[in-house]
Amino acid sequence: MIVTWILQTSLKDTCRIVNGLLKTALGPPSGSTTTLSPAQDITFRHESVKCLVCIIKSMGTWMDQLRLGDLDLVKGHESDSSTENHLTQPGEEGTSDYELHPEGNSESSDAATLEQRRAYKIEMQKGISLFNRKPSKGIEFLISTKKIGSSPEEVASFLKKTSGLNETVIGDYLGEREEFSLKVMHAYVDSFNFIGMDFGEAIRFFLRGFRLPGEAQKIDRIMEKFAERYCKCNPSSFTSADTAYVLAYSVILLNTDAHNNMVKEKMTKADFIRNNRGIDDGKDLPEEYLGTLYDQIVKNEIKMNAEPSAPQSKQANSINKLLGLDGILNLVTWKQTEEKALGANGLLIRHIQEQFKAKSGKSESVYHAVTDIAILRFMVEVCWGPMLAAFSVTLDQSDDRLATSQCLQGFRHAVHITAVMGMQTQRDAFVTSMAKFTYLHCAADMKQKNVDAVKAIITIAIEDGNYLEEAWEHILTCLSRIEHLQLLGEGAPPDASFLTVSNVETDEKVPKAMGFPSLKKKGTLQNPAVMAVVRGGSYDSTSSGVNTSGLVSPVQINNFISNLNLLDQIGNFELNHVFAHSQRLNSEAIVAFVKALSKVAMSELQSPTDPRVFSLTKIVEIAHYNMNRIRLVWSRIWNVLSDFFVSVGLSENLSVAIFVMDSLRQLAMKFLEREELANYNFQNEFLRPFVIVMQKSSSAEIRELIVRCISQMVLSRVSNVKSGWKSVFMIFTAAAADERKNIVLLAFETMEKIVREYFPYITETETLTFTDCVKCLITFTTSRFNSDVSLNAIAFLRFCAVKLAEGGLVYNEKSKVDGFNLVVNEDASDVQTVTEKDDSTSYWLPLLTGLAKLASDPRSAIRKSSLEVLFNILKDHGHLFSHTFWTGVFSTVIFPLFDCAFDKRETPMKDDEYSPVSRSSQHEGSTWDSETSAVAAECLLDLFDSFFDVVRPHLPGVISILTGLIRSPIQGPASTGVAALMRLTSDLGGKFSEDDWREIFLALKEAATSAVPGLMKVLRTMDNIDVPGVSQSYNDVEMSSDHGLTNDDLEDDNLQMAAYVVSRMKSHIAMQLLIIQVVTDLHTMHLQSLSVANTSILLELFSSIASHAHQLNSETILQKKLQKVCAILELSAPPMVHFENESYQSYLNFLQNLLVDSPLLCNEINIEAQLVAVCEKILQIYLNCTRTYSSQQKPVNQPVVHWILPLGSAKKEELAARTALVVTALQVLSGLEKDSFKRYISQFFPSLVDLVKCEHSSGEVQRVLSNMFQSCIGPIIMQ
């Protein structure tokens, strides 16, 4: 209670003092009387202000002493520790591998004398001692005396294996940016084998030989290389090396946090997981993984070197600063950490109570030493308001140079304290007040005190920039306005002269973009830009004088010019110094600085009356200044700048957008000078604004500019482009699809140069880069402006294949680590080794699949060209591919290629989808034409013929493709399929096994039978259609008539459906006849290759087709309906009778040929009996056609009387069509051997009798019958 009372009393006293000084500074209230003279009143006021300044200054001084004291204590300890290490005698622990095994020194041979060995040892120790003092000199000495080799690898081995070297010095040397030191560091890191290591184990193993340097840039270089090496050894560990890089920093911070006793609030596992969210390319690492890593570090500290245990004291407060890691934790989380309330009442009072209790037994002293800076926060909170009022009023009302100077000093000290203490509200209040007192927004009213305020603002920016945060926006706004006024004073033309929306507006605003005469020499110039500034405006307005109009008087202009002369006290050096000093801002401050500068630049560019580019040019400058910051910091900076460039690049003001894109180009050119290690994504992130603007901009000029910028950057920095290739190809892909022809041609010209001259650079980074290149070229093939571009793009795809084959790029370099293959899942039973052949797949498959997709392009020339290039690539370079790769090619490229052409053609339709409209829509754009089908089939057969021994297992798939062509409802592809299958069997038939032939015949059988159910389903739709003149009764069909039938008698939908059924029937019959032709030809050409099993398959095929044909002809009512419909639509009727005749004729011929050519085979499967059965079936079909009956109804159980009627004209035509087949069947029966004829005569004799009785369309049947009875039956009867 006593302490609380003392604290409250102290604050009340402070408040009372400050308020009293405030009242004195403000002077007596108006209307009150005072005994002071005016001079005395002013003196009192000034002294009061001076006292307030002293108070705030003393607060700042005390705060700085406490802060610097902590840092000095730790630095002193580090210095002592370093001194001890440097003073360690090399002789005590200076033995090394080089000392015991001086392999590189010819003097230290087995025959060397003891004296020579002693001299060698002394020189080695001298070099180690020199290295511990000046590492570069030590390395030079050891190389010059030939104690170590001169290559980076040998120096790295020396640093890694030699004892006696100072671990801190090793870390400093490895972090240097000189070329040789950098190579040594790379060699040092590459000497570690992290394969199979957990990340925590790897970083522990890595850091045990040296101590991380104290400079952030050095740490960054080392950890960047470590992350690259770890990902190279464990390629499946993270999405990219960026993840390992960020996680490495996070682990180091966790190690410091967990094992330092001075850190009271330890990082929890949940904190560690939260801090690392989204670091894996925007995704989260598994919580189990991070939790395990956390446990490893917390339980077992990472020892960076064998340093002696030191008293930690206040070392913990500045450990991150000494490591160069201050603010890194915020960088890992990519966001500002939440501000903790400094000196919360309870904690602070408890802390002060402990201090009083510790001293209460010693003295009754009134004074107590307070070492907690947090108490200052309470003092500032109670006095900042009165101080702000006192300084502001005095500065506003007084023109006394001494008084205003005191006020400005007070502002400076107040900003310093509030900024360092993190008191944002108070800090912003002081900064805003100072910015307003500059009067830069109304320059005509400026005085010397306002110029002094500008100087104070600049001083604050330089001295307290690390703590200004959002207040930077006010300061940068002031700098922008200063530059604007200076340009007006010098008579320079405004930026609006070349940043205008249109020519009309340009003419209205600026007189032909001429430079203004210097205002300092001529005070009567009436110019809109000057008038706006002279009129002035509010502090928050972006443009001066917006709300006023009219001219100003010459007196006002002269007054304004005289004030401009005051600004001469602030030169360009002071302005530029603020931006140049940004290099010294810490990691958090530079991000805040860039955010504020981007806001100011945006407001300048978006000004409706006077757009300016000052801050934009400064953005480019500070990006240059800070580009060498550590990657984590630079990434945060670029996140801000990237959004800015995208936003302005999409501006409606074309001139502004062009200027911004050109500024971005300058930065990109500079950035590409930096080397990027493998597996990183920095370049891609840097170039992403180009990609976004290219994809979203509606301005053709901007899109063309981006293409030109990227072309220039890539061609001039091609050797440095790594991850940036992805953005480059995304930009060119967008350009390829652009609506402007010149943009397409410009982008393709650059792509041509990249592919022709710089192809190795594309494939040296990662597989996805090459894939992006292929996608880009494929997009160019879709160009609608110039067919030459499309065809050339396809040619370049083939060129890519040639380069892949010639350049030895059939394996991926990044998948190899120091000569050994990466082994994944070593403990698993199925060990997978990444081999060269597997890596080639990652390059070839994107190329091949891209070409395959082009085969479905609607343009015939593109389809044909892509098919030819695809199969030429496979044919020319197929010898490089393994059996496994060929399997992948067929399964992912070739078979899907043909499936795409057949998919929609063969898609089964629902019951309600059978209509000519739906069917035609399926054909449109979904199938190949005859030419494309022919090219594809020919290319496929060429490939299969060339690599038959390798691709033989894929024969069933190829056969399926060819039978698919044969099943096509279009005549062209079907004929192509027949020709291709015949060629396949002709070229390779001699190499086919019995199983291969079986595959072919089964495929043909499947093709024939699988189409039947679909057709029958279509035919059933005719049952629901009533055709006038066609009776549904079988007996009345012959009595039907088509006289007088017109289109009006059938509804349009029914007519269309019937027409579709007719078309479907025709194509089905044509396909079935083609299959018969193919089978017949194959049997004729390869008769000797047919086994009993394969012959049985062919017999089943002929039998099924013939039976199907007979089934169709049995649908009498359906036939009549189709005939009526064809008559209405003036179409030819489906050749159903021809189909049946041809199927049975082919069946007969096949059986006859078997009897003649393969007598042994015929005996095994009894071909003769099947032949007689087929002939009898033919006779029965003919007889059924001749039978026409009319019946009269009688009562039940009474016989029905039949009358044989004469054949109608239609029946006579059908009989005429069937006559040739019947004659052939009779001749086949007559040709049987005598014993065979006698054996089977009982089966077909009744049919012969019926033939004698029936009516015929010609006398040919009777003649054949007469001959049969005379020559065959007669002799049997006569016996």
Side-chain angles (χ1 to χ4, degrees):
M1 293 297 296
I2 295 175
V3 175
T4 304
W5 177 81
I6 293 175
L7 176 61
Q8 293 176 349
T9 303
S10 174
L11 295 179
K12 289 180 179 178
D13 290 341
T14 303
C15 184
R16 189 179 299 112
I17 294 172
V18 172
N19 284 326
L21 291 172
L22 169 63
K23 292 178 180 179
T24 305
L26 297 179
S30 58
S32 61
T33 59
T34 178
T35 59
L36 298 176
S37 65
Q40 291 175 329
D41 181 54
I42 293 175
T43 302
F44 266 104
R45 292 188 184 189
H46 291 177
E47 289 299 323
S48 299
V49 171
K50 187 175 180 180
C51 288
L52 290 173
V53 173
C54 290
I55 291 174
I56 196 69
K57 181 179 179 180
S58 63
M59 290 180 180
T61 303
W62 178 69
M63 177 187 69
D64 292 338
Q65 288 175 349
L66 290 180
R67 290 173 58 248
L68 294 176
D70 291 344
L71 187 59
D72 290 340
L73 178 62
V74 182
K75 286 185 176 179
H77 167 71
E78 290 296 319
S79 176
D80 295 340
S81 175
S82 177
T83 302
E84 291 177 7
N85 288 332
H86 283 294
L87 293 177
T88 301
Q89 293 298 322
E92 296 176 3
E93 53 180 19
T95 58
S96 67
D97 294 340
Y98 284 88
E99 175 187 338
L100 299 176
H101 305 284
E103 298 173 357
N105 193 347
S106 60
E107 298 176 3
S108 299
S109 63
D110 293 337
T113 63
L114 181 62
E115 186 64 27
Q116 288 174 325
R117 289 179 177 273
R118 181 174 178 276
Y120 174 85
K121 184 174 181 179
I122 291 174
E123 283 192 341
M124 176 61 76
Q125 292 176 350
K126 180 179 178 182
I128 293 174
S129 179
L130 181 59
F131 175 85
N132 287 339
R133 296 194 306 273
K134 295 183 179 180
S136 297
K137 295 293 184 181
I139 294 298
E140 291 177 4
F141 172 80
L142 291 169
I143 292 176
S144 64
T145 57
K146 299 184 179 179
K147 297 301 177 292
I148 60 175
S150 59
S151 68
E153 291 76 14
E154 291 172 297
V155 175
S157 179
F158 165 77
L159 296 178
K160 189 175 182 182
K161 299 177 180 178
T162 305
S163 59
L165 297 177
N166 186 292
E167 292 87 351
T168 302
V169 177
I170 294 175
D172 284 332
Y173 180 75
L174 293 176
E176 293 293 340
R177 65 179 303 171
E178 282 74 16
E179 182 179 359
F180 184 75
S181 300
L182 200 60
K183 290 180 179 179
V184 171
M185 185 268 287
H186 284 198
Y188 182 90
V189 179
D190 287 337
S191 67
F192 286 88
N193 181 3
F194 298 127
I195 293 180
M197 281 192 182
D198 179 77
F199 187 79
E201 180 186 357
I203 198 170
R204 188 187 307 278
F205 179 57
F206 175 62
L207 292 176
R208 70 181 184 179
F210 70 96
R211 183 174 182 178
L212 283 175
E215 184 181 335
Q217 290 288 350
K218 293 183 177 181
I219 298 175
D220 181 65
R221 283 188 282 270
I222 295 174
M223 299 314 295
E224 182 182 357
K225 180 61 181 177
F226 163 77
E228 184 225 24
R229 179 62 180 175
Y230 182 81
C231 289
K232 194 171 185 180
C233 291
N234 302 278
S236 60
S237 56
F238 303 112
T239 302
S240 67
D242 300 84
T243 306
Y245 171 71
V246 175
L247 189 59
Y249 270 112
S250 188
V251 166
I252 293 173
L253 288 170
L254 173 62
N255 187 71
T256 302
D257 179 272
H259 300 286
N260 197 300
N261 295 332
M262 293 302 295
V263 178
K264 301 302 181 182
E265 297 181 7
K266 301 292 186 182
M267 186 187 304
T268 65
K269 184 182 294 187
D271 293 334
F272 182 71
I273 293 174
R274 182 175 60 253
N275 290 342
N276 289 284
R277 283 177 181 165
I279 66 173
D280 192 26
D281 196 19
K283 301 185 291 293
D284 292 342
L285 292 173
E287 290 192 6
E288 298 79 6
Y289 177 84
L290 292 175
T292 302
L293 183 59
Y294 176 88
D295 293 336
Q296 290 176 355
I297 303 302
V298 171
K299 293 177 182 178
N300 186 10
E301 180 182 2
I302 296 177
K303 301 289 186 180
M304 297 183 186
N305 64 334
E307 56 185 341
S309 57
Q312 292 176 328
S313 180
K314 302 199 176 181
Q315 179 182 1
N317 296 335
S318 301
I319 186 67
N320 286 342
K321 292 184 179 180
L322 294 178
L323 289 175
L325 300 177
D326 55 313
I328 291 297
L329 184 58
N330 292 336
L331 303 180
V332 172
T333 59
W334 300 106
K335 58 186 178 182
Q336 288 277 11
T337 55
E338 296 181 0
E339 180 185 358
K340 296 183 179 179
L342 296 176
N345 290 338
L347 294 176
L348 180 61
I349 293 174
R350 193 179 307 116
H351 179 59
I352 296 176
Q353 284 176 339
E354 293 173 358
Q355 291 181 336
F356 276 109
K357 287 179 181 179
K359 295 186 178 183
S360 60
K362 299 180 181 179
S363 172
E364 294 293 333
S365 173
V366 177
Y367 300 100
H368 302 280
V370 180
T371 58
D372 193 340
I373 303 179
I375 196 173
L376 185 62
R377 186 183 187 92
F378 293 101
M379 300 176 67
V380 175
E381 284 180 347
V382 299
C383 67
W384 77 273
M387 287 185 176
L388 176 62
F391 299 153
S392 300
V393 171
T394 303
L395 190 59
D396 182 54
Q397 295 179 355
S398 175
D399 291 329
D400 182 79
R401 188 72 180 271
L402 180 60
T404 57
S405 176
Q406 288 290 339
C407 291
L408 291 175
Q409 287 186 32
F411 271 114
R412 285 176 52 189
H413 294 306
V415 170
H416 173 67
I417 294 175
T418 55
V420 173
M421 296 293 292
M423 304 173 71
Q424 297 182 6
T425 302
Q426 292 82 354
R427 177 203 63 207
D428 292 347
F430 282 108
V431 173
T432 304
S433 297
M434 286 194 69
K436 291 180 178 180
F437 278 120
T438 61
Y439 271 45
L440 293 170
H441 52 286
C442 48
D445 299 327
M446 286 183 66
K447 299 178 181 179
Q448 180 60 46
K449 62 181 180 181
N450 305 116
V451 177
D452 293 338
V454 173
K455 295 178 181 179
I457 283 279
I458 295 175
T459 302
I460 290 173
I462 295 174
E463 294 180 352
D464 295 308
N466 283 334
Y467 312 103
L468 291 176
E469 298 178 0
E470 291 82 0
W472 269 116
E473 184 176 354
H474 299 288
I475 296 176
L476 294 175
T477 299
C478 290
L479 299 184
S480 171
R481 288 171 172 170
I482 292 171
E483 188 269 350
H484 188 203
L485 294 174
Q486 289 178 340
L487 288 181
L488 290 178
E490 295 171 358
D495 296 343
S497 62
F498 58 92
L499 294 181
T500 52
V501 179
S502 65
N503 292 333
V504 175
E505 295 181 1
T506 302
D507 295 339
E508 294 176 353
K509 294 178 182 177
V510 182
K512 299 185 179 180
M514 294 175 56
F516 303 143
S518 175
L519 297 181
K520 298 174 183 178
K521 298 179 180 179
K522 185 176 181 180
T524 59
L525 182 63
Q526 300 287 339
N527 182 272
V530 178
M531 298 304 102
V533 176
V534 173
R535 295 188 196 104
S538 65
Y539 170 77
D540 296 325
S541 62
T542 56
S543 298
S544 302
V546 174
N547 299 322
T548 58
S549 59
L551 299 177
V552 295
S553 65
V555 176
Q556 291 177 301
I557 293 180
N558 291 332
N559 188 37
F560 168 68
I561 293 175
S562 64
N563 290 340
L564 288 182
N565 292 326
L566 292 175
L567 286 176
D568 287 342
Q569 302 172 44
I570 303 172
N572 289 329
F573 174 79
E574 286 78 7
L575 287 180
N576 294 330
H577 185 46
V578 175
F579 298 98
H581 191 265
S582 65
Q583 300 176 85
R584 301 184 181 181
L585 296 177
N586 63 31
S587 56
E588 290 298 319
I590 184 60
V591 176
F593 181 86
V594 171
K595 287 181 179 179
L597 186 58
S598 298
K599 288 183 179 179
V600 175
M602 186 70 73
S603 64
E604 287 181 356
L605 293 169
Q606 293 178 347
S607 173
T609 58
D610 189 21
R612 298 172 53 236
V613 296
F614 168 73
S615 296
L616 174 59
T617 59
K618 293 304 177 184
I619 283 179
V620 177
E621 287 183 20
I622 64 102
H624 279 296
Y625 293 148
N626 293 275
M627 198 172 285
N628 290 326
R629 285 183 180 264
I630 65 173
R631 302 281 188 177
L632 284 173
V633 178
W634 173 250
S635 295
R636 291 190 66 197
I637 294 173
W638 189 246
N639 283 341
V640 178
L641 294 181
S642 178
D643 293 340
F644 169 78
F645 282 117
V646 169
S647 178
V648 183
L650 296 174
S651 170
E652 296 180 359
N653 190 321
L654 178 60
S655 300
V656 169
I658 290 176
F659 193 92
V660 167
M661 286 297 101
D662 186 66
S663 301
L664 181 58
R665 176 194 61 81
Q666 298 176 43
L667 286 177
M669 290 289 286
K670 180 70 175 178
F671 187 79
L672 288 178
E673 294 177 0
R674 304 177 65 182
E675 180 184 4
E676 183 179 69
L677 299 177
N679 298 309
Y680 281 95
N681 201 37
F682 293 126
Q683 290 181 357
N684 184 38
E685 293 293 332
F686 196 95
L687 297 178
R688 186 168 295 175
F690 283 117
V691 178
I692 298 175
V693 176
M694 183 70 190
Q695 294 173 343
K696 295 184 177 182
S697 178
S698 59
S699 170
E701 291 82 356
I702 293 297
R703 299 196 301 272
E704 181 178 352
L705 175 63
I706 291 175
V707 172
R708 292 187 182 278
C709 290
I710 293 297
S711 300
Q712 178 192 6
M713 285 188 292
V714 171
L715 298 180
S716 61
R717 298 281 191 271
V718 66
S719 60
N720 285 353
V721 181
K722 296 294 186 297
S723 65
W725 282 117
K726 182 175 183 62
S727 293
V728 170
F729 290 132
M730 289 179 68
I731 290 169
F732 287 151
T733 300
D738 200 274
E739 59 185 12
R740 294 294 185 96
K741 181 178 180 179
N742 61 321
I743 295 178
V744 176
L745 296 179
L746 180 62
F748 187 74
E749 180 182 351
T750 305
M751 277 297 299
E752 178 180 5
K753 193 173 185 66
I754 290 174
V755 175
R756 285 189 183 278
E757 300 181 15
Y758 305 116
F759 185 80
Y761 293 104
I762 299 174
T763 53
E764 74 175 358
T765 51
E766 58 181 13
T767 306
L768 291 178
T769 300
F770 181 73
T771 304
D772 293 332
C773 177
V774 171
K775 290 180 180 178
C776 183
L777 289 173
I778 290 174
T779 308
F780 276 109
T781 63
T782 63
S783 173
R784 55 194 175 94
F785 296 109
N786 194 330
S787 59
D788 291 340
V789 170
S790 302
L791 296 175
N792 286 338
I794 295 177
F796 281 132
L797 290 173
R798 182 173 184 178
F799 180 81
C800 289
V802 174
K803 287 295 184 181
L804 278 176
E806 289 180 354
L809 296 170
V810 291
Y811 76 97
N812 190 355
E813 285 290 347
K814 77 170 184 176
S815 297
K816 305 282 286 183
V817 181
D818 296 342
F820 49 82
N821 290 331
L822 297 179
V823 179
V824 184
N825 299 329
E826 290 185 352
D827 298 332
S829 57
D830 53 340
V831 178
Q832 300 176 352
T833 303
V834 180
T835 63
E836 295 183 1
K837 293 179 180 178
D838 293 330
D839 291 328
S840 67
T841 306
S842 60
Y843 286 119
W844 286 102
L845 278 184
L847 177 62
L848 299 176
T849 53
L851 284 167
K853 290 179 181 178
L854 288 176
S856 59
D857 192 275
R859 295 167 295 176
S860 176
I862 300 300
R863 291 199 304 270
K864 181 179 178 182
S865 178
S866 61
L867 285 170
E868 290 176 346
V869 170
L870 170 62
F871 284 98
N872 283 338
I873 289 174
L874 293 173
K875 187 175 179 181
D876 294 343
H877 309 299
H879 61 279
L880 298 173
F881 305 153
S882 64
H883 289 265
T884 304
F885 184 76
W886 272 114
T887 300
V889 169
F890 272 90
S891 62
T892 61
V893 179
I894 295 179
F895 292 153
L897 170 69
F898 286 90
D899 290 343
C900 180
F902 299 153
D903 273 346
K904 292 186 178 181
R905 179 192 308 153
E906 300 179 358
T907 301
M909 302 177 68
K910 298 179 182 178
D911 294 341
D912 57 348
E913 289 180 339
Y914 290 108
S915 70
V917 176
S918 63
R919 197 62 183 173
S920 63
S921 65
Q922 284 194 324
H923 284 301
E924 183 178 358
S926 64
T927 59
W928 288 342
D929 55 17
S930 300
E931 183 180 5
T932 305
S933 300
V935 171
E938 182 180 357
C939 291
L940 177 61
L941 292 183
D942 287 339
L943 178 67
F944 207 78
D945 191 9
S946 301
F947 299 97
F948 179 71
D949 295 335
V950 178
V951 301
R952 184 169 189 161
H954 305 290
L955 177 62
V958 174
I959 294 172
S960 177
I961 289 173
L962 299 183
T963 53
L965 287 171
I966 294 174
R967 291 200 304 267
S968 171
I970 305 174
Q971 184 63 30
S975 301
T976 297
V978 171
L981 185 58
M982 297 306 298
R983 178 189 165 188
L984 176 68
T985 55
S986 175
D987 295 345
L988 301 172
K991 300 180 180 180
F992 286 170
S993 64
E994 181 179 344
D995 291 338
D996 293 335
W997 284 110
R998 180 180 177 82
E999 288 287 347
I1000 294 175
F1001 295 142
L1002 285 176
L1004 289 171
K1005 179 184 175 182
E1006 171 65 19
T1009 56
S1010 62
V1012 173
L1015 175 70
M1016 299 308 296
K1017 196 172 184 179
V1018 173
L1019 296 181
R1020 293 284 68 83
T1021 59
M1022 291 296 295
D1023 295 343
N1024 300 323
I1025 299 177
D1026 294 329
V1027 179
V1030 178
S1031 173
Q1032 299 296 327
S1033 172
Y1034 174 84
N1035 293 328
D1036 296 333
V1037 168
E1038 283 297 320
M1039 306 304 295
S1040 301
S1041 173
D1042 58 356
H1043 294 300
L1045 195 61
T1046 64
N1047 291 5
D1048 297 335
D1049 297 321
L1050 282 175
E1051 296 180 1
D1052 290 341
D1053 291 343
N1054 291 338
L1055 198 61
Q1056 289 183 353
M1057 176 59 71
Y1060 168 68
V1061 173
V1062 171
S1063 173
R1064 179 71 181 270
M1065 177 81 79
K1066 288 181 179 179
S1067 62
H1068 176 79
I1069 292 174
M1071 183 265 289
Q1072 296 285 337
L1073 293 176
L1074 273 177
I1075 293 176
I1076 292 174
Q1077 175 192 340
V1078 171
V1079 173
T1080 302
D1081 293 341
L1082 289 178
H1083 173 257
T1084 303
M1085 295 170 58
H1086 304 282
L1087 178 63
Q1088 304 302 323
S1089 303
L1090 300 183
S1091 63
V1092 175
N1094 290 337
T1095 302
S1096 298
I1097 295 174
L1098 294 183
L1099 288 172
E1100 293 174 2
L1101 187 149
F1102 278 112
S1103 176
S1104 64
I1105 293 179
S1107 299
H1108 172 56
H1110 178 62
Q1111 179 188 7
L1112 290 180
N1113 275 282
S1114 300
E1115 299 276 351
T1116 310
I1117 297 176
L1118 174 65
Q1119 283 184 322
K1120 192 64 178 176
K1121 286 183 178 181
L1122 294 181
Q1123 289 173 1
K1124 297 291 185 181
V1125 170
C1126 290
I1128 295 173
L1129 299 176
E1130 297 180 354
L1131 299 173
S1132 60
M1136 300 170 68
V1137 175
H1138 173 74
F1139 175 36
E1140 187 176 11
N1141 288 340
E1142 286 297 319
S1143 60
Y1144 275 103
Q1145 183 68 59
S1146 299
Y1147 196 1
L1148 276 179
N1149 293 340
F1150 179 70
L1151 292 171
Q1152 275 188 298
N1153 291 335
L1154 287 177
L1155 282 174
V1156 176
D1157 300 329
S1158 306
L1160 296 178
L1161 185 147
C1162 293
N1163 293 333
E1164 292 186 36
I1165 53 180
N1166 197 7
I1167 295 298
E1168 194 174 59
Q1170 295 187 43
L1171 179 63
V1172 173
V1174 171
C1175 290
E1176 184 181 3
K1177 183 66 176 178
I1178 294 173
L1179 296 179
Q1180 288 298 324
I1181 293 172
Y1182 184 84
L1183 289 172
N1184 290 336
C1185 182
T1186 63
R1187 292 168 185 163
T1188 303
Y1189 300 101
S1190 177
S1191 60
Q1192 182 178 3
Q1193 297 294 330
K1194 295 290 185 180
V1196 182
N1197 298 327
Q1198 291 189 15
V1200 179
V1201 179
H1202 294 273
W1203 291 276
I1204 298 178
L1205 301 177
L1207 294 177
S1209 59
K1211 280 295 182 181
K1212 288 183 179 180
E1213 291 179 3
E1214 182 179 348
L1215 283 178
R1218 296 182 182 274
T1219 298
L1221 180 60
V1222 171
V1223 170
T1224 301
L1226 293 174
Q1227 290 174 346
V1228 168
L1229 292 174
S1230 300
L1232 293 174
E1233 294 182 359
K1234 185 176 181 180
D1235 294 338
S1236 298
F1237 189 86
K1238 187 175 181 180
R1239 187 184 316 124
Y1240 296 110
I1241 183 63
S1242 60
Q1243 296 182 20
F1244 56 81
F1245 186 77
S1247 299
L1248 296 179
V1249 174
D1250 289 339
L1251 282 175
V1252 173
K1253 295 189 298 182
C1254 71
E1255 181 180 354
H1256 302 283
S1257 62
S1258 67
E1260 189 173 357
V1261 177
Q1262 288 92 332
R1263 286 194 295 272
V1264 176
L1265 277 173
S1266 176
N1267 292 335
M1268 178 180 288
F1269 276 102
Q1270 291 178 4
S1271 60
C1272 298
I1273 300 177
I1276 295 175
I1277 297 175
M1278 296 301 295
Q1279 291 180 356

